Amino acid sequence: MAETLGKKRKMAGRRGEGDFKKTDPSSNWPPIKPKQNLQVNLLKDNDLFTVPSFFTCVESKAFIKAAESLGFLHQGSLGPTKGEAYRDNDRISVNDPDLADIIWRSGLDNLFADIKIRGKVAVGLNPNIRLYRYKVGQRFGRHIDESVDLGGGKRTYYTLLIYLSGGSKNKTKNDTNNSKDPSSDTLVGGETVFYGSRNGVIAEVAPTEGMALLHLHGDKCLLHEARNVRKGVKYVFRSDVIFS
């Protein structure tokens, strides 16, 4: 059932994700500095791992500001009774090869240097960049992420999520003055949970600002969900790792 949900959800997603926003110099994506000595925490060998502090606090907040200036669109689904995973969040989808390349070369290229899949090596990020926003009460039900054939022998095999909010947040003067803004609240909930056989929990990843989460997708994708946000706003940067 999980695979069916994943396939139908993905088909619906492809229709929506084809409507890219046009990016231009005024998009003001923040500069991303190359990262040295990145730490990798293996949750299920190379199938599932996290990378703390992949984005700095400044980079994460700047991405949120840029995303809000572009404007989010609500994303829903028909739900499990119609063969689709439950989905309730807001999304931006852009086609930006330059941004994908900058983030890839900021440290992901080194992390994937020794990972091969079916004789292929990682060569970059999918230029289809998505930014997600989950407000209180929003979530993404159990689903799988499908592999995408990009042509020319290129195919995606990993999902990349970078949490732009979450974890401990030090209140600033501006946060205090903006206390009525939900995005100024410390994020509670919104965990990404992965399931194995018999629906046993393999890993439960709490959003932490700047942390990257990477997991295999396609025919080896683990069933997973984004749990309900109970307080604050969850922001996520999403792309896919391409192999060739």
Side-chain angles (χ1 to χ4, degrees), residues 85-138:
Y86 177 87
R87 181 172 189 166
D88 178 19
N89 67 356
D90 305 312
R91 187 190 68 188
I92 292 171
S93 180
V94 299
N95 189 31
D96 197 324
D98 291 337
L99 177 60
D101 186 58
I102 289 170
I103 292 176
W104 174 250
R105 291 186 290 106
S106 71
L108 285 174
D109 51 350
N110 293 328
L111 294 181
F112 277 86
D114 297 323
I115 298 178
K116 293 185 178 181
I117 298 178
R118 300 172 185 174
K120 296 184 176 185
V121 297
V123 296
L125 286 184
N126 189 345
N128 177 6
I129 304 295
R130 287 134 287 172
L131 292 125
Y132 298 143
R133 180 180 66 188
Y134 294 82
K135 295 183 176 181
V136 172
Q138 292 187 311

Side-chain angles (χ1 to χ4, degrees), residues 16-70:
E17 289 169 10
D19 300 326
F20 297 119
K21 285 182 176 289
K22 299 295 184 180
T23 55
D24 53 54
S26 65
S27 297
N28 290 325
W29 296 122
I32 303 297
K33 295 181 179 179
K35 308 302 190 300
Q36 304 295 328
N37 304 315
L38 288 170
Q39 176 186 349
V40 174
N41 295 326
L42 300 178
L43 304 179
K44 190 178 184 294
D45 300 319
N46 284 334
D47 291 1
L48 172 63
F49 59 93
T50 60
V51 184
S53 302
F54 184 75
F55 277 177
T56 66
C57 175
V58 171
E59 290 168 347
S60 297
K61 287 179 170 56
F63 259 105
I64 292 174
K65 183 177 180 180
E68 288 288 0
S69 70
L70 283 174

Side-chain angles (χ1 to χ4, degrees), residues 57-58 60-62 64-65 164-188 207-210 231-235:
C57 175
V58 171
S60 297
K61 287 179 170 56
I64 292 174
K65 183 177 180 180
L164 304 177
S165 61
S168 300
K169 181 173 181 179
N170 296 320
K171 291 287 185 180
T172 65
K173 183 177 180 180
N174 288 336
D175 291 330
T176 302
N177 292 339
N178 255 338
S179 58
K180 292 184 179 180
D181 180 4
S183 65
S184 68
D185 292 336
T186 300
L187 177 62
V188 178
T208 301
E209 185 181 66
K231 184 180 179 182
V233 182
K234 174 184 172 184
Y235 291 93

